[in-house]
């Protein structure tokens, strides 16, 4: 995947960070920035996962100067030729390894669901197109967070249903 895709994905994650309410504080949308960081050296992340990552990552900093998250993208994010209808990142195959994200402190997602501090793999997922999931989101794609201890094979492509339990 090209650098443009990485930029779009980072922009999406920055939007996620802006919408999260870390430590119960609302964030000013204009105060966030991304800074470059070095390679992921965390020992709890499997060597196979660390080896699949770009040598540099990015840290999202909030308006108070506190790190919201750190992210390292995969060296090679797989792509498919046919895009998935209704998906923003439909060129990524379902279950593909996208990278690793670290939350230095507890936070929450855009729906207010808690996310514990720690390292997670990012996998691409697609919401089902059945009556139970229609209209849940404007786009049918999302990124699943799996604890790094439960997702140690980045080259394995998993179905969304296989990822729901660890995520």
């Amino acid at each position: 995947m090209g650098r443009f895709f990485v930029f779009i994905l980072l922009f999406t994650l920055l939007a996620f960070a802006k919408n999260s309410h870390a430590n119960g504080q609302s964030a000013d949308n204009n105060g966030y920035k991304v800074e470059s960081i070095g390679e992921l050296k965390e020992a709890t992340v499997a060597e196979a996962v660390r080896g699949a990552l770009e040598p540099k990552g990015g840290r999202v900093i909030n308006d108070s100067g506190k790190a919201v998250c750190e992210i390292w993208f995969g060296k090679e994010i797989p792509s498919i030729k046919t895009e998935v209808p209704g998906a923003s990142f439909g060129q990524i195959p379902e279950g593909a390894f996208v990278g690793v994200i670290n939350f230095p402190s507890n936070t929450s997602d855009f729906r207010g669901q808690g996310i514990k501090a720690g390292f997670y793999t990012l996998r691409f997922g697609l919401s089902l197109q059945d009556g139970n999931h229609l209209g849940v989101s404007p786009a049918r794609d999302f990124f699943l967070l799996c604890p790094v201890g439960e997702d140690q094979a980045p080259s394995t492509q998993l179905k969304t249903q296989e990822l729901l339990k660890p995520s």
Side-chain angles (χ1 to χ4, degrees):
M1 305 285 311
R3 295 285 175 205
F4 179 73
F5 168 77
V6 171
F7 172 76
I8 294 296
L9 186 56
L10 191 54
F11 180 78
T12 301
L13 288 168
L14 184 57
F16 164 79
K18 288 179 182 179
N19 289 326
S20 70
H21 299 285
N23 300 321
Q25 297 177 348
S26 293
D28 173 6
N29 286 342
N30 295 323
Y32 284 80
K33 65 180 181 178
V34 177
E35 64 184 23
S36 181
I37 57 174
E39 69 181 290
L40 176 60
K41 295 182 180 181
E42 175 63 37
T44 60
V45 179
E47 186 175 334
V49 173
R50 290 192 318 263
L53 299 171
E54 288 283 342
K56 292 189 177 187
R59 179 179 293 128
V60 177
I61 306 292
N62 68 14
D63 56 352
S64 301
K66 184 176 178 183
V68 175
C69 67
E70 300 170 322
I71 186 164
W72 296 264
F73 291 108
K75 287 178 184 173
E76 293 187 29
I77 299 172
S79 64
I80 54 178
K81 293 183 190 226
T82 1
E83 293 210 14
V84 175
S88 297
F89 298 104
Q91 67 278 15
I92 304 174
E94 183 179 12
F97 173 80
V98 176
V100 171
I101 191 166
N102 173 44
F103 295 100
S105 59
N106 292 342
T107 189
S108 61
D109 66 13
F110 72 97
R111 295 184 304 180
Q113 296 177 326
I115 300 172
K116 291 182 182 179
F119 288 84
Y120 297 88
T121 58
L122 286 167
R123 296 273 184 168
F124 180 75
L126 291 167
S127 63
L128 299 173
Q129 291 295 330
D130 61 13
N132 295 326
H133 297 89
L134 291 176
V136 174
S137 172
R140 24 175 329 211
D141 49 356
F142 54 95
F143 295 95
L144 291 148
L145 301 177
C146 298
V148 292
E150 296 181 37
D151 187 5
Q152 300 183 10
S155 61
T156 303
Q157 196 168 305
L158 304 168
K159 292 288 182 197
T160 300
Q161 290 299 335
E162 297 172 305
L163 292 168
L164 290 179
K165 186 176 181 183
S167 73

